[in-house]
Amino acid sequence: MKPLALPHGFPSRYGVPVLDAVAPEIFRRRFFTQCMDCTFCHDWCCQFGVDVDRYHAHRIMAHADALEAYLGVPRALWFTGTVEPEADAPGGETWRTAVIDGACVFLNRRGRGCRLHTFCLEQGIDHHELKSLVDGLFPLTFEEGVLSLAEEALSGELVCLDTGPTLYRGMREELRYYFGDELVGVLDGLEARGI
């Protein structure tokens, strides 16, 4: 389905990406949004690692001493070492988290979820400070100015699809955090029109 043009570009709080269109599928596809209450996926989406924009990679490294002690994993093992230029990523590049024993280095191996997120909660830090934009929006993503489904949702391989609210409803507050109230208002209007 063809993306719907937005009335103007909506930059993220970091300046990039700038959204100027939306894929209508975000208002139709559904997913299980209560990640930590899931009993069936076993953190499936964490098996691949994640792209971390330079802004957030530097924020992670600013907490490296405390994180290293918390995680029990040396900081030299957190990222693959590959840096990719990416104009739409805050800081202009992405770093890929390492995959160790079949999952992201930051996955909680003794429980559930992301240990970066848990670290933030325990330290009183807003999780948006350390978790990347791509990670925060998943299973939504952006490419060439279009807000759309991440590849795993588009292909149907995302384990938690087809139950719960729409991807838009499930990620609405994250979109508000990253892109602001005006974008959410526009998207609410498109949703109400049954796009």
Side-chain angles (χ1 to χ4, degrees):
M1 218 175 232
K2 185 177 175 184
L4 305 166
L6 297 173
H8 59 82
F10 291 88
S12 80
R13 62 175 39 234
Y14 312 109
V16 292
V18 177
L19 302 179
D20 50 34
V22 60
E25 293 86 1
I26 77 165
F27 303 112
R28 296 190 182 99
R29 285 307 300 254
R30 299 179 174 278
F31 81 114
F32 189 85
T33 59
Q34 301 302 317
C35 185
M36 295 308 291
D37 292 334
C38 173
T39 60
F40 56 87
C41 85
H42 310 289
D43 295 305
W44 178 89
C45 59
C46 298
Q47 69 181 305
F48 307 107
V50 68
D51 288 330
V52 178
D53 54 77
R54 183 173 65 192
Y55 172 86
H56 287 95
H58 286 188
R59 299 290 304 144
I60 290 168
M61 296 311 288
H63 293 272
D65 290 341
L67 275 168
E68 208 168 45
Y70 182 79
L71 298 169
V73 178
R75 65 189 81 184
L77 300 178
W78 297 348
F79 297 98
T80 64
T82 301
V83 175
E84 295 286 337
E86 176 57 61
D88 279 345
E93 64 188 30
T94 60
W95 303 13
R96 188 76 181 174
T97 62
V99 171
I100 297 176
D101 296 329
C104 179
V105 66
F106 296 118
L107 177 65
N108 182 349
R109 312 298 171 131
R110 295 187 182 130
R112 289 284 327 279
C114 177
R115 293 197 69 206
L116 278 179
H117 196 118
T118 305
F119 173 83
C120 288
L121 292 175
E122 291 177 6
Q123 299 299 313
I125 301 168
D126 182 340
H127 71 276
H128 296 101
E129 283 297 306
L130 300 189
K131 292 187 75 176
S132 73
L133 177 62
V134 167
D135 197 13
L137 288 178
F138 188 82
L140 295 177
T141 195
F142 50 87
E143 188 171 353
E144 297 179 4
V146 179
L147 176 65
S148 62
L149 279 65
E151 179 58 37
E152 296 86 348
L154 195 58
S155 69
E157 69 179 311
L158 184 64
V159 175
C160 60
L161 283 176
D162 301 326
T163 183
T166 64
L167 273 75
Y168 172 60
R169 275 285 140 185
M171 301 311 297
R172 185 171 178 266
E173 293 311 307
E174 291 298 302
L175 288 165
R176 183 188 310 279
Y177 175 83
Y178 290 117
F179 293 95
D181 292 335
E182 186 184 0
L183 174 66
V184 169
V186 169
L187 295 177
D188 284 353
L190 291 173
E191 178 189 47
R193 287 174 33 207
I195 297 298

